[in-house]
């Protein structure tokens, strides 16, 4: 272990992501705080709590160009920050630029598309929603899963999305029309994580 980052009071950390600059880590915890950790200085440079109540942050994501950070919590709220410096998110403001209720219950995953044009949110309401950036307008609702949707992953060209659910399945979606084109079954318990390798093999 090269680094050990510990929250005050040892509050459970629910989610973490690496900034594209490879020098900062963003985390979200059970008390509703988002923190920016600097890997070089080896300390926390910023701490914000976007919602006053102690509502757990369930997922965080950073856009590929480093200009946007998003966090989602246990009551379906999503918080979007626009960064002045894409190479440094330690100056994250206490108040996000946008704060919206995107689902009526837990958001279990929020994820920017690789082209930074869309945001996907997966929820305990059995739905995955695709939002257009930067205004977070609703583009699509993907509905086929029978239970909570825990995870999702975009294809490298942002054209497809794969989702994982506690219904024991994963599904592949064509985002040009919102159609489900593959249904992967066989797990006997919940599918809580998914990754997509769509690189060509020569």
């Amino acid at each position: 272990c090269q680094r050990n980052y510990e929250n005050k009071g040892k509050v459970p950390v629910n989610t973490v992501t690496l900034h594209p600059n490879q020098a900062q880590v963003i985390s979200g915890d059970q008390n509703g705080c988002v923190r920016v950790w600097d890997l070089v200085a080896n300390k926390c440079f910023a701490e914000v709590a976007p919602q006053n109540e102690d509502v757990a942050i369930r997922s965080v994501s950073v856009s590929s160009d480093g200009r946007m950070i998003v966090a989602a919590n246990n009551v379906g709220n999503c918080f979007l920050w626009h960064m002045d410096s894409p190479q440094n998110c330690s100056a994250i403001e206490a108040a996000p630029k946008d704060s919206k209720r995107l689902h009526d219950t837990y958001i279990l995953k929020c994820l920017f598309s690789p082209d930074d044009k869309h945001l996907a949110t997966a929820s305990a309401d059995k739905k995955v929603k695709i939002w257009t950036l930067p205004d977070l307008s609703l583009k699509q609702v993907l509905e086929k899963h029978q239970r909570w949707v825990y995870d999702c992953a975009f294809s490298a060209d942002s054209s497809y999305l794969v989702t994982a659910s506690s219904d024991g399945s994963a599904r592949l979606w064509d985002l040009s029309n919102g159609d489900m084109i593959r249904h992967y079954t066989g797990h006997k318990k919940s599918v809580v994580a998914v990754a997509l390798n769509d690189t060509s093999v020569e």
Side-chain angles (χ1 to χ4, degrees):
C1 178
Q2 295 182 341
R3 297 286 191 277
N4 184 21
Y5 303 105
E6 192 170 281
N7 280 350
K8 299 174 184 177
K10 296 185 177 180
V11 177
V13 176
N14 294 330
T15 178
V16 64
T17 190
L18 181 65
H19 192 280
N21 65 17
Q22 303 291 301
Q24 293 174 320
V25 167
I26 299 92
S27 66
D29 68 27
Q30 192 67 21
N31 279 0
C33 288
V34 175
R35 290 181 171 87
V36 178
W37 306 86
D38 191 286
L39 299 180
V40 178
N42 197 27
K43 66 178 182 179
C44 179
F45 265 135
E47 177 182 332
V48 296
Q51 189 161 328
N52 292 331
E53 303 95 331
D54 290 336
V55 179
I57 297 294
R58 187 57 53 188
S59 182
V60 293
S61 183
V62 184
S63 61
S64 63
D65 63 4
R67 294 185 179 277
M68 293 180 288
I69 297 175
V70 67
N73 70 13
N74 272 1
V75 295
N77 290 336
C78 188
F79 311 97
L80 182 65
W81 290 269
H82 293 257
M83 308 306 299
D84 292 332
S85 172
Q87 295 303 316
N88 187 352
C89 62
S90 60
I92 186 172
E93 297 180 353
K97 179 177 177 59
D98 291 298
S99 176
K100 290 186 178 182
R101 174 67 63 89
L102 302 187
H103 293 263
D104 293 328
T105 184
Y106 299 87
I107 296 178
L108 302 170
K109 181 77 172 188
C110 58
L111 184 67
F112 287 110
S113 60
D115 62 8
D116 296 331
K117 293 181 179 180
H118 296 96
L119 175 74
T121 54
S123 174
D125 63 9
K126 310 174 188 177
K127 301 174 184 176
V128 176
K129 295 182 180 181
I130 307 298
W131 308 86
T132 301
L133 294 168
D135 61 347
L136 286 177
S137 58
L138 183 62
K139 178 187 177 183
Q140 291 170 323
V141 180
L142 309 179
E143 297 181 86
K144 287 289 184 180
H145 284 294
Q146 303 303 306
R147 299 187 70 181
W148 293 18
V149 186
Y150 275 94
D151 198 14
C152 60
F154 281 97
S155 62
D157 64 0
S158 303
S159 297
Y160 300 90
L161 187 78
V162 62
T163 56
S165 169
S166 56
D167 63 12
S169 73
R171 299 170 190 262
L172 181 65
W173 309 81
D174 183 344
L175 298 182
S176 67
N177 51 27
D179 288 346
M180 185 193 74
I181 56 176
R182 296 286 189 278
H183 185 202
Y184 305 103
T185 60
H187 289 282
K188 295 181 179 178
K189 292 186 178 181
S190 300
V191 181
V192 297
V194 68
L196 178 60
N197 181 5
D198 60 345
T199 55
S200 61
V201 178
E202 296 181 358

